[in-house]
Amino acid sequence: THTHTHTRTPNIPPPYSSLFYLTLTQILQFLCCNIFQSVYLAKVAGPIEHSTPYTVGLFIFLLCAYFVWDTANSQKNHFRMQEAGTYVRRPFAFPQLPWQTLKNPQYIQTDRGSKLLISGWWQFARKIHYSADLCMSLSWGLICGFGSWIPFMYFAFFFSHLTHRGLRDAERCAKKYGKDWDRYCDKVKYQFIPYII
């Protein structure tokens, strides 16, 4: 998913401080975790049938999570590009979802000169894109049924990774922005799930 984000906005590279973790995660994901569901279905469980409401409900859950993940990342990246004066609308990029670019976004101006976005999805939670990512990974396990823990290994790995990364990012931002980070946290009270945590 991170690769998809950066291919859609190639002029916004990931921060250097997280390149090590990002690279390590990508290696672990592609070598191990991303294949668990497929291997489980192919080698262990065989074809699995669910009720139509369960399958449709899970598909809607996946689509909603993808919508939040994609548009949240787009909002953040487009905001950065708009502030840098490098934003160019790419009409042929896929997918073109509504609410990818914010008009007149609100933000907190920091003493360091950077801006913290508090509009769009970012008004609800500071790491809402992580939560959407976790929902997608959970749906890939849920579609495999409950006959084994194997399809949920990716979700467990991803949960521990994103939780650790979110806490690490919060600590880094608190040091970087100081009182401005406190103002930001007062404005956007939840880290992962709006009104819960």
Side-chain angles (χ1 to χ4, degrees):
T1 55
H2 300 286
T3 305
H4 174 69
T5 302
H6 293 296
T7 56
R8 293 191 56 216
T9 52
N11 48 347
I12 302 289
Y16 290 110
S17 61
S18 63
L19 278 178
F20 170 77
Y21 293 104
L22 186 61
T23 304
L24 178 63
T25 302
Q26 294 297 317
I27 291 170
L28 291 173
Q29 282 179 327
F30 289 111
L31 290 181
C32 307
C33 299
N34 278 1
I35 63 171
F36 285 137
Q37 294 90 353
S38 300
V39 170
Y40 174 74
L41 291 174
K43 300 290 186 183
V44 180
I48 294 177
E49 290 188 22
H50 298 293
S51 69
T52 300
Y54 180 84
T55 304
V56 170
L58 200 52
F59 185 64
I60 291 171
F61 176 70
L62 174 63
L63 288 179
C64 290
Y66 180 82
F67 177 80
V68 172
W69 175 84
D70 186 279
T71 53
N73 279 302
S74 293
Q75 288 172 3
K76 175 183 62 177
N77 291 330
H78 291 178
F79 174 71
R80 289 176 180 169
M81 288 187 284
Q82 286 170 332
E83 290 300 309
T86 59
Y87 175 72
V88 176
R89 186 175 180 277
R90 300 188 308 173
F92 300 108
F94 179 81
Q96 290 289 329
L97 298 174
W99 215 33
Q100 287 182 323
T101 304
L102 299 171
K103 295 180 180 178
N104 303 314
Q106 296 182 350
Y107 54 85
I108 292 177
Q109 179 70 54
T110 68
D111 291 339
R112 294 180 60 95
S114 52
K115 298 173 181 176
L116 303 173
L117 182 62
I118 55 172
S119 286
W121 290 114
W122 303 97
Q123 66 187 303
F124 301 114
R126 299 185 298 274
K127 295 293 183 183
I128 197 163
H129 58 315
Y130 286 9
S131 300
D133 228 344
L134 285 171
C135 289
M136 288 189 287
S137 68
L138 178 61
S139 72
W140 300 329
L142 290 172
I143 199 63
C144 295
F146 300 95
S148 172
W149 52 270
I150 293 173
F152 296 94
M153 286 183 66
Y154 175 63
F155 172 75
F157 162 76
F158 211 35
F159 179 83
S160 63
H161 165 71
L162 288 183
T163 302
H164 175 260
R165 186 173 174 187
L167 296 173
R168 191 181 76 242
D169 287 352
E171 182 179 332
R172 180 178 55 84
C173 288
K175 289 178 183 174
K176 180 178 178 179
Y177 296 115
K179 62 182 175 57
D180 291 324
W181 184 253
D182 294 335
R183 286 171 52 217
Y184 177 66
C185 291
D186 285 342
K187 187 74 174 173
V188 184
K189 298 186 184 306
Y190 303 96
Q191 184 164 8
F192 295 106
I193 304 171
Y195 310 107
I196 297 177
I197 185 172

PDB file of all heavy atoms in Angstrom, residues 109-138:
ATOM      1  N   GLN A 109      -0.208  26.392  11.785  1.00  0.00           N
ATOM      2  CA  GLN A 109       1.113  26.893  11.406  1.00  0.00           C
ATOM      3  C   GLN A 109       2.068  26.698  12.589  1.00  0.00           C
ATOM      4  O   GLN A 109       1.773  27.134  13.697  1.00  0.00           O
ATOM      5  CB  GLN A 109       1.042  28.369  11.045  1.00  0.00           C
ATOM      6  CG  GLN A 109       2.369  28.984  10.654  1.00  0.00           C
ATOM      7  CD  GLN A 109       2.869  28.482   9.311  1.00  0.00           C
ATOM      8  OE1 GLN A 109       2.169  28.563   8.325  1.00  0.00           O
ATOM      9  NE2 GLN A 109       4.077  27.936   9.297  1.00  0.00           N
ATOM     10  N   THR A 110       3.177  26.032  12.369  1.00  0.00           N
ATOM     11  CA  THR A 110       4.122  25.769  13.456  1.00  0.00           C
ATOM     12  C   THR A 110       5.234  26.810  13.451  1.00  0.00           C
ATOM     13  O   THR A 110       5.491  27.467  12.448  1.00  0.00           O
ATOM     14  CB  THR A 110       4.744  24.362  13.327  1.00  0.00           C
ATOM     15  OG1 THR A 110       5.594  24.333  12.170  1.00  0.00           O
ATOM     16  CG2 THR A 110       3.673  23.299  13.210  1.00  0.00           C
ATOM     17  N   ASP A 111       5.902  26.919  14.579  1.00  0.00           N
ATOM     18  CA  ASP A 111       7.041  27.834  14.690  1.00  0.00           C
ATOM     19  C   ASP A 111       8.187  27.408  13.782  1.00  0.00           C
ATOM     20  O   ASP A 111       9.034  28.227  13.418  1.00  0.00           O
ATOM     21  CB  ASP A 111       7.540  27.910  16.144  1.00  0.00           C
ATOM     22  CG  ASP A 111       6.540  28.621  17.045  1.00  0.00           C
ATOM     23  OD1 ASP A 111       5.694  29.379  16.521  1.00  0.00           O
ATOM     24  OD2 ASP A 111       6.594  28.405  18.275  1.00  0.00           O
ATOM     25  N   ARG A 112       8.241  26.133  13.417  1.00  0.00           N
ATOM     26  CA  ARG A 112       9.298  25.634  12.535  1.00  0.00           C
ATOM     27  C   ARG A 112       9.031  25.992  11.073  1.00  0.00           C
ATOM     28  O   ARG A 112       9.860  25.724  10.218  1.00  0.00           O
ATOM     29  CB  ARG A 112       9.427  24.120  12.678  1.00  0.00           C
ATOM     30  CG  ARG A 112       9.915  23.667  14.040  1.00  0.00           C
ATOM     31  CD  ARG A 112      10.009  22.155  14.091  1.00  0.00           C
ATOM     32  NE  ARG A 112      10.930  21.628  13.103  1.00  0.00           N
ATOM     33  CZ  ARG A 112      12.203  21.337  13.330  1.00  0.00           C
ATOM     34  NH1 ARG A 112      12.710  21.550  14.528  1.00  0.00           N
ATOM     35  NH2 ARG A 112      12.954  20.844  12.370  1.00  0.00           N
ATOM     36  N   GLY A 113       7.855  26.522  10.800  1.00  0.00           N
ATOM     37  CA  GLY A 113       7.540  26.915   9.438  1.00  0.00           C
ATOM     38  C   GLY A 113       6.666  25.933   8.681  1.00  0.00           C
ATOM     39  O   GLY A 113       6.102  26.268   7.645  1.00  0.00           O
ATOM     40  N   SER A 114       6.551  24.706   9.174  1.00  0.00           N
ATOM     41  CA  SER A 114       5.711  23.715   8.503  1.00  0.00           C
ATOM     42  C   SER A 114       4.267  23.836   8.986  1.00  0.00           C
ATOM     43  O   SER A 114       3.981  24.513   9.969  1.00  0.00           O
ATOM     44  CB  SER A 114       6.253  22.305   8.726  1.00  0.00           C
ATOM     45  OG  SER A 114       6.455  22.070  10.097  1.00  0.00           O
ATOM     46  N   LYS A 115       3.383  23.148   8.286  1.00  0.00           N
ATOM     47  CA  LYS A 115       1.954  23.231   8.591  1.00  0.00           C
ATOM     48  C   LYS A 115       1.402  21.846   8.871  1.00  0.00           C
ATOM     49  O   LYS A 115       1.722  20.888   8.168  1.00  0.00           O
ATOM     50  CB  LYS A 115       1.219  23.874   7.408  1.00  0.00           C
ATOM     51  CG  LYS A 115       1.681  25.288   7.132  1.00  0.00           C
ATOM     52  CD  LYS A 115       1.082  25.856   5.872  1.00  0.00           C
ATOM     53  CE  LYS A 115       1.596  27.275   5.630  1.00  0.00           C
ATOM     54  NZ  LYS A 115       1.109  27.844   4.370  1.00  0.00           N
ATOM     55  N   LEU A 116       0.556  21.753   9.885  1.00  0.00           N
ATOM     56  CA  LEU A 116      -0.075  20.497  10.273  1.00  0.00           C
ATOM     57  C   LEU A 116      -1.530  20.523   9.822  1.00  0.00           C
ATOM     58  O   LEU A 116      -2.317  21.348  10.290  1.00  0.00           O
ATOM     59  CB  LEU A 116       0.027  20.285  11.788  1.00  0.00           C
ATOM     60  CG  LEU A 116       1.454  20.301  12.358  1.00  0.00           C
ATOM     61  CD1 LEU A 116       1.429  20.244  13.878  1.00  0.00           C
ATOM     62  CD2 LEU A 116       2.270  19.143  11.791  1.00  0.00           C
ATOM     63  N   LEU A 117      -1.879  19.620   8.929  1.00  0.00           N
ATOM     64  CA  LEU A 117      -3.205  19.589   8.316  1.00  0.00           C
ATOM     65  C   LEU A 117      -4.267  19.166   9.325  1.00  0.00           C
ATOM     66  O   LEU A 117      -4.102  18.162  10.020  1.00  0.00           O
ATOM     67  CB  LEU A 117      -3.184  18.624   7.127  1.00  0.00           C
ATOM     68  CG  LEU A 117      -4.457  18.480   6.302  1.00  0.00           C
ATOM     69  CD1 LEU A 117      -4.831  19.804   5.647  1.00  0.00           C
ATOM     70  CD2 LEU A 117      -4.266  17.399   5.243  1.00  0.00           C
ATOM     71  N   ILE A 118      -5.369  19.923   9.389  1.00  0.00           N
ATOM     72  CA  ILE A 118      -6.475  19.586  10.295  1.00  0.00           C
ATOM     73  C   ILE A 118      -7.816  19.631   9.549  1.00  0.00           C
ATOM     74  O   ILE A 118      -8.854  19.917  10.141  1.00  0.00           O
ATOM     75  CB  ILE A 118      -6.506  20.510  11.533  1.00  0.00           C
ATOM     76  CG1 ILE A 118      -6.553  21.985  11.120  1.00  0.00           C
ATOM     77  CG2 ILE A 118      -5.330  20.234  12.450  1.00  0.00           C
ATOM     78  CD1 ILE A 118      -6.774  22.948  12.272  1.00  0.00           C
ATOM     79  N   SER A 119      -7.784  19.336   8.258  1.00  0.00           N
ATOM     80  CA  SER A 119      -8.999  19.269   7.449  1.00  0.00           C
ATOM     81  C   SER A 119      -9.127  17.889   6.825  1.00  0.00           C
ATOM     82  O   SER A 119      -8.202  17.085   6.871  1.00  0.00           O
ATOM     83  CB  SER A 119      -8.959  20.316   6.325  1.00  0.00           C
ATOM     84  OG  SER A 119      -9.165  21.606   6.824  1.00  0.00           O
ATOM     85  N   GLY A 120     -10.276  17.645   6.207  1.00  0.00           N
ATOM     86  CA  GLY A 120     -10.508  16.351   5.567  1.00  0.00           C
ATOM     87  C   GLY A 120     -10.507  15.239   6.596  1.00  0.00           C
ATOM     88  O   GLY A 120     -11.009  15.400   7.719  1.00  0.00           O
ATOM     89  N   TRP A 121      -9.939  14.115   6.230  1.00  0.00           N
ATOM     90  CA  TRP A 121      -9.861  12.987   7.171  1.00  0.00           C
ATOM     91  C   TRP A 121      -8.987  13.323   8.363  1.00  0.00           C
ATOM     92  O   TRP A 121      -9.134  12.744   9.437  1.00  0.00           O
ATOM     93  CB  TRP A 121      -9.308  11.746   6.466  1.00  0.00           C
ATOM     94  CG  TRP A 121     -10.243  11.148   5.466  1.00  0.00           C
ATOM     95  CD1 TRP A 121     -10.068  11.072   4.113  1.00  0.00           C
ATOM     96  CD2 TRP A 121     -11.497  10.514   5.727  1.00  0.00           C
ATOM     97  NE1 TRP A 121     -11.132  10.448   3.518  1.00  0.00           N
ATOM     98  CE2 TRP A 121     -12.036  10.100   4.492  1.00  0.00           C
ATOM     99  CE3 TRP A 121     -12.237  10.283   6.891  1.00  0.00           C
ATOM    100  CZ2 TRP A 121     -13.258   9.451   4.383  1.00  0.00           C
ATOM    101  CZ3 TRP A 121     -13.459   9.639   6.780  1.00  0.00           C
ATOM    102  CH2 TRP A 121     -13.954   9.233   5.537  1.00  0.00           C
ATOM    103  N   TRP A 122      -8.055  14.249   8.185  1.00  0.00           N
ATOM    104  CA  TRP A 122      -7.073  14.556   9.220  1.00  0.00           C
ATOM    105  C   TRP A 122      -7.659  15.355  10.376  1.00  0.00           C
ATOM    106  O   TRP A 122      -6.978  15.559  11.381  1.00  0.00           O
ATOM    107  CB  TRP A 122      -5.876  15.276   8.577  1.00  0.00           C
ATOM    108  CG  TRP A 122      -5.324  14.416   7.490  1.00  0.00           C
ATOM    109  CD1 TRP A 122      -5.597  14.511   6.151  1.00  0.00           C
ATOM    110  CD2 TRP A 122      -4.495  13.276   7.650  1.00  0.00           C
ATOM    111  NE1 TRP A 122      -4.964  13.504   5.467  1.00  0.00           N
ATOM    112  CE2 TRP A 122      -4.282  12.721   6.360  1.00  0.00           C
ATOM    113  CE3 TRP A 122      -3.906  12.652   8.743  1.00  0.00           C
ATOM    114  CZ2 TRP A 122      -3.506  11.598   6.147  1.00  0.00           C
ATOM    115  CZ3 TRP A 122      -3.128  11.534   8.523  1.00  0.00           C
ATOM    116  CH2 TRP A 122      -2.940  11.020   7.248  1.00  0.00           C
ATOM    117  N   GLN A 123      -8.896  15.788  10.269  1.00  0.00           N
ATOM    118  CA  GLN A 123      -9.548  16.433  11.411  1.00  0.00           C
ATOM    119  C   GLN A 123     -10.092  15.394  12.399  1.00  0.00           C
ATOM    120  O   GLN A 123     -10.394  15.723  13.534  1.00  0.00           O
ATOM    121  CB  GLN A 123     -10.689  17.330  10.938  1.00  0.00           C
ATOM    122  CG  GLN A 123     -11.853  16.584  10.304  1.00  0.00           C
ATOM    123  CD  GLN A 123     -12.879  17.496   9.687  1.00  0.00           C
ATOM    124  OE1 GLN A 123     -13.415  18.359  10.375  1.00  0.00           O
ATOM    125  NE2 GLN A 123     -13.139  17.312   8.402  1.00  0.00           N
ATOM    126  N   PHE A 124     -10.190  14.152  11.951  1.00  0.00           N
ATOM    127  CA  PHE A 124     -10.777  13.100  12.795  1.00  0.00           C
ATOM    128  C   PHE A 124      -9.749  12.301  13.574  1.00  0.00           C
ATOM    129  O   PHE A 124     -10.017  11.876  14.691  1.00  0.00           O
ATOM    130  CB  PHE A 124     -11.622  12.151  11.938  1.00  0.00           C
ATOM    131  CG  PHE A 124     -12.744  12.833  11.220  1.00  0.00           C
ATOM    132  CD1 PHE A 124     -12.745  12.921   9.836  1.00  0.00           C
ATOM    133  CD2 PHE A 124     -13.790  13.412  11.920  1.00  0.00           C
ATOM    134  CE1 PHE A 124     -13.779  13.556   9.172  1.00  0.00           C
ATOM    135  CE2 PHE A 124     -14.825  14.057  11.264  1.00  0.00           C
ATOM    136  CZ  PHE A 124     -14.827  14.130   9.874  1.00  0.00           C
ATOM    137  N   ALA A 125      -8.591  12.035  12.976  1.00  0.00           N
ATOM    138  CA  ALA A 125      -7.547  11.264  13.659  1.00  0.00           C
ATOM    139  C   ALA A 125      -6.203  11.548  13.011  1.00  0.00           C
ATOM    140  O   ALA A 125      -6.122  11.772  11.802  1.00  0.00           O
ATOM    141  CB  ALA A 125      -7.856   9.769  13.621  1.00  0.00           C
ATOM    142  N   ARG A 126      -5.150  11.494  13.833  1.00  0.00           N
ATOM    143  CA  ARG A 126      -3.818  11.833  13.339  1.00  0.00           C
ATOM    144  C   ARG A 126      -3.217  10.721  12.481  1.00  0.00           C
ATOM    145  O   ARG A 126      -2.332  10.980  11.663  1.00  0.00           O
ATOM    146  CB  ARG A 126      -2.894  12.134  14.529  1.00  0.00           C
ATOM    147  CG  ARG A 126      -3.380  13.310  15.361  1.00  0.00           C
ATOM    148  CD  ARG A 126      -2.412  13.687  16.465  1.00  0.00           C
ATOM    149  NE  ARG A 126      -2.174  12.663  17.459  1.00  0.00           N
ATOM    150  CZ  ARG A 126      -2.923  12.471  18.542  1.00  0.00           C
ATOM    151  NH1 ARG A 126      -3.990  13.233  18.768  1.00  0.00           N
ATOM    152  NH2 ARG A 126      -2.615  11.534  19.415  1.00  0.00           N
ATOM    153  N   LYS A 127      -3.658   9.495  12.655  1.00  0.00           N
ATOM    154  CA  LYS A 127      -3.150   8.367  11.869  1.00  0.00           C
ATOM    155  C   LYS A 127      -4.320   7.570  11.298  1.00  0.00           C
ATOM    156  O   LYS A 127      -4.326   6.332  11.300  1.00  0.00           O
ATOM    157  CB  LYS A 127      -2.276   7.457  12.748  1.00  0.00           C
ATOM    158  CG  LYS A 127      -1.003   8.105  13.244  1.00  0.00           C
ATOM    159  CD  LYS A 127      -0.046   8.401  12.112  1.00  0.00           C
ATOM    160  CE  LYS A 127       1.257   8.982  12.618  1.00  0.00           C
ATOM    161  NZ  LYS A 127       2.165   9.336  11.519  1.00  0.00           N
ATOM    162  N   ILE A 128      -5.295   8.268  10.759  1.00  0.00           N
ATOM    163  CA  ILE A 128      -6.493   7.582  10.261  1.00  0.00           C
ATOM    164  C   ILE A 128      -6.161   6.670   9.080  1.00  0.00           C
ATOM    165  O   ILE A 128      -6.794   5.640   8.877  1.00  0.00           O
ATOM    166  CB  ILE A 128      -7.586   8.595   9.902  1.00  0.00           C
ATOM    167  CG1 ILE A 128      -8.940   7.896   9.793  1.00  0.00           C
ATOM    168  CG2 ILE A 128      -7.223   9.387   8.644  1.00  0.00           C
ATOM    169  CD1 ILE A 128     -10.122   8.816   9.850  1.00  0.00           C
ATOM    170  N   HIS A 129      -5.120   7.015   8.329  1.00  0.00           N
ATOM    171  CA  HIS A 129      -4.724   6.162   7.208  1.00  0.00           C
ATOM    172  C   HIS A 129      -4.155   4.831   7.702  1.00  0.00           C
ATOM    173  O   HIS A 129      -4.293   3.810   7.034  1.00  0.00           O
ATOM    174  CB  HIS A 129      -3.753   6.880   6.274  1.00  0.00           C
ATOM    175  CG  HIS A 129      -2.496   7.367   6.929  1.00  0.00           C
ATOM    176  ND1 HIS A 129      -2.465   8.021   8.142  1.00  0.00           N
ATOM    177  CD2 HIS A 129      -1.217   7.314   6.501  1.00  0.00           C
ATOM    178  CE1 HIS A 129      -1.220   8.334   8.441  1.00  0.00           C
ATOM    179  NE2 HIS A 129      -0.447   7.914   7.458  1.00  0.00           N
ATOM    180  N   TYR A 130      -3.539   4.819   8.884  1.00  0.00           N
ATOM    181  CA  TYR A 130      -3.077   3.556   9.461  1.00  0.00           C
ATOM    182  C   TYR A 130      -4.266   2.667   9.802  1.00  0.00           C
ATOM    183  O   TYR A 130      -4.242   1.453   9.558  1.00  0.00           O
ATOM    184  CB  TYR A 130      -2.271   3.814  10.734  1.00  0.00           C
ATOM    185  CG  TYR A 130      -0.880   4.363  10.542  1.00  0.00           C
ATOM    186  CD1 TYR A 130      -0.420   4.785   9.290  1.00  0.00           C
ATOM    187  CD2 TYR A 130      -0.026   4.481  11.616  1.00  0.00           C
ATOM    188  CE1 TYR A 130       0.851   5.302   9.137  1.00  0.00           C
ATOM    189  CE2 TYR A 130       1.255   4.996  11.474  1.00  0.00           C
ATOM    190  CZ  TYR A 130       1.683   5.397  10.235  1.00  0.00           C
ATOM    191  OH  TYR A 130       2.946   5.907  10.098  1.00  0.00           O
ATOM    192  N   SER A 131      -5.292   3.261  10.390  1.00  0.00           N
ATOM    193  CA  SER A 131      -6.482   2.479  10.749  1.00  0.00           C
ATOM    194  C   SER A 131      -7.142   1.886   9.519  1.00  0.00           C
ATOM    195  O   SER A 131      -7.566   0.723   9.524  1.00  0.00           O
ATOM    196  CB  SER A 131      -7.482   3.365  11.503  1.00  0.00           C
ATOM    197  OG  SER A 131      -6.898   3.866  12.677  1.00  0.00           O
ATOM    198  N   ALA A 132      -7.232   2.664   8.446  1.00  0.00           N
ATOM    199  CA  ALA A 132      -7.816   2.150   7.209  1.00  0.00           C
ATOM    200  C   ALA A 132      -6.965   1.017   6.634  1.00  0.00           C
ATOM    201  O   ALA A 132      -7.497   0.007   6.152  1.00  0.00           O
ATOM    202  CB  ALA A 132      -7.956   3.279   6.196  1.00  0.00           C
ATOM    203  N   ASP A 133      -5.657   1.163   6.698  1.00  0.00           N
ATOM    204  CA  ASP A 133      -4.738   0.114   6.242  1.00  0.00           C
ATOM    205  C   ASP A 133      -4.960  -1.177   7.041  1.00  0.00           C
ATOM    206  O   ASP A 133      -4.987  -2.276   6.486  1.00  0.00           O
ATOM    207  CB  ASP A 133      -3.300   0.592   6.422  1.00  0.00           C
ATOM    208  CG  ASP A 133      -2.440   0.372   5.182  1.00  0.00           C
ATOM    209  OD1 ASP A 133      -2.852  -0.403   4.304  1.00  0.00           O
ATOM    210  OD2 ASP A 133      -1.366   0.978   5.095  1.00  0.00           O
ATOM    211  N   LEU A 134      -5.116  -1.036   8.353  1.00  0.00           N
ATOM    212  CA  LEU A 134      -5.351  -2.210   9.206  1.00  0.00           C
ATOM    213  C   LEU A 134      -6.692  -2.862   8.888  1.00  0.00           C
ATOM    214  O   LEU A 134      -6.808  -4.094   8.900  1.00  0.00           O
ATOM    215  CB  LEU A 134      -5.297  -1.811  10.680  1.00  0.00           C
ATOM    216  CG  LEU A 134      -3.903  -1.561  11.231  1.00  0.00           C
ATOM    217  CD1 LEU A 134      -3.975  -0.963  12.627  1.00  0.00           C
ATOM    218  CD2 LEU A 134      -3.097  -2.858  11.249  1.00  0.00           C
ATOM    219  N   CYS A 135      -7.709  -2.066   8.604  1.00  0.00           N
ATOM    220  CA  CYS A 135      -9.014  -2.628   8.235  1.00  0.00           C
ATOM    221  C   CYS A 135      -8.921  -3.445   6.956  1.00  0.00           C
ATOM    222  O   CYS A 135      -9.516  -4.520   6.850  1.00  0.00           O
ATOM    223  CB  CYS A 135     -10.052  -1.520   8.078  1.00  0.00           C
ATOM    224  SG  CYS A 135     -10.551  -0.764   9.633  1.00  0.00           S
ATOM    225  N   MET A 136      -8.143  -2.955   5.985  1.00  0.00           N
ATOM    226  CA  MET A 136      -7.967  -3.727   4.751  1.00  0.00           C
ATOM    227  C   MET A 136      -7.273  -5.050   5.036  1.00  0.00           C
ATOM    228  O   MET A 136      -7.698  -6.102   4.538  1.00  0.00           O
ATOM    229  CB  MET A 136      -7.175  -2.912   3.720  1.00  0.00           C
ATOM    230  CG  MET A 136      -7.958  -1.776   3.110  1.00  0.00           C
ATOM    231  SD  MET A 136      -7.132  -0.979   1.718  1.00  0.00           S
ATOM    232  CE  MET A 136      -5.832  -0.053   2.551  1.00  0.00           C
ATOM    233  N   SER A 137      -6.208  -5.021   5.836  1.00  0.00           N
ATOM    234  CA  SER A 137      -5.492  -6.266   6.126  1.00  0.00           C
ATOM    235  C   SER A 137      -6.359  -7.230   6.933  1.00  0.00           C
ATOM    236  O   SER A 137      -6.280  -8.444   6.747  1.00  0.00           O
ATOM    237  CB  SER A 137      -4.179  -5.974   6.861  1.00  0.00           C
ATOM    238  OG  SER A 137      -4.407  -5.481   8.158  1.00  0.00           O
ATOM    239  N   LEU A 138      -7.210  -6.696   7.798  1.00  0.00           N
ATOM    240  CA  LEU A 138      -8.131  -7.553   8.548  1.00  0.00           C
ATOM    241  C   LEU A 138      -9.139  -8.216   7.612  1.00  0.00           C
ATOM    242  O   LEU A 138      -9.452  -9.406   7.756  1.00  0.00           O
ATOM    243  CB  LEU A 138      -8.851  -6.741   9.617  1.00  0.00           C
ATOM    244  CG  LEU A 138      -9.879  -7.493  10.462  1.00  0.00           C
ATOM    245  CD1 LEU A 138      -9.221  -8.631  11.236  1.00  0.00           C
ATOM    246  CD2 LEU A 138     -10.599  -6.538  11.408  1.00  0.00           C
TER     247      LEU A 138
END
